[in-house]
Amino acid sequence: MATVSYIPTSKLMSLLSAADPQKKLNVRIINTTRLVLDNDSFQTVSQIDFTNEVVLGADDAPAAFVPPAVAKASRKSGKYQVVVEDETVEGYTLKEVLGACLKALDRHRPGTLEKLARIKTTTKRIVARDPANLFQSPELAQEYGHKLENGWWYGTNNSTQETIAWLRRATECSGLEWGVDVRTTF
């Protein structure tokens, strides 16, 4: 089973800043899990490893510096809406609306959850048949894994930005178009 690598934009920006504080290097993609930062002479200065979310030196050794911390995204409650084709899904928390939207996408396009279960960021996936497979640390499933439906579980430890990113990925898996077939008010 193929795994798709994702990294939050804020984390990537933090790693790029740490690897190139003077903003003078060039970025080169070498594979699905690694970027290389080269100088103007095309010599590798540092690398960014998506799998471990770390900056490495040119020799694959850990960099001598630590990337600055990424600010935590806020979690808030309110009224959230997502429109999936002709169906409006609402919730008062991100957790509620994420679960309802995942169910709606799978109802509209059966097989969406199966496809989404194949996607894993460096530390978690959003849906799984076994709650222990939701997080890199299976013990987190007890607190943040919740039943969805038909034997599916979903992870609820998500910021607003992460929730939107998962909804976009789920939309892609369903074959629908984000912003057209699936829209949100948050």
Side-chain angles (χ1 to χ4, degrees), residues 14 21 24 27 75 82 113 171 176:
S14 173
K24 294 183 178 182
V27 176
R75 286 176 174 83
V82 179
L113 296 179
T171 300
L176 297 173

Side-chain angles (χ1 to χ4, degrees), residues 14-83:
S14 173
L15 292 169
L16 284 167
S17 280
D20 183 15
Q22 277 110 27
K23 299 177 180 20
K24 294 183 178 182
L25 300 176
N26 300 302
V27 176
R28 184 167 40 101
I29 301 168
I30 60 172
N31 61 38
T32 59
T33 62
R34 195 165 286 202
L35 295 177
V36 171
L37 284 82
D38 296 332
N39 62 20
D40 288 333
S41 303
F42 303 105
Q43 294 177 334
T44 299
V45 174
S46 58
Q47 303 177 60
I48 296 176
D49 177 3
F50 293 154
T51 306
N52 299 307
E53 296 183 1
V54 295
V55 175
L56 302 171
D59 59 355
D60 282 350
F65 50 85
V66 176
V70 176
K72 287 238 179 219
S74 66
R75 286 176 174 83
K76 60 181 184 176
S77 60
K79 187 170 184 181
Y80 300 99
Q81 278 188 339
V82 179
V83 178

Side-chain angles (χ1 to χ4, degrees), residues 10 22 28 44 61 81 95 104 134 137 140 165 180:
S10 58
Q22 277 110 27
R28 184 167 40 101
T44 299
Q81 278 188 339
K95 173 182 153 180
L134 289 171
S137 302
L140 291 175
V180 176

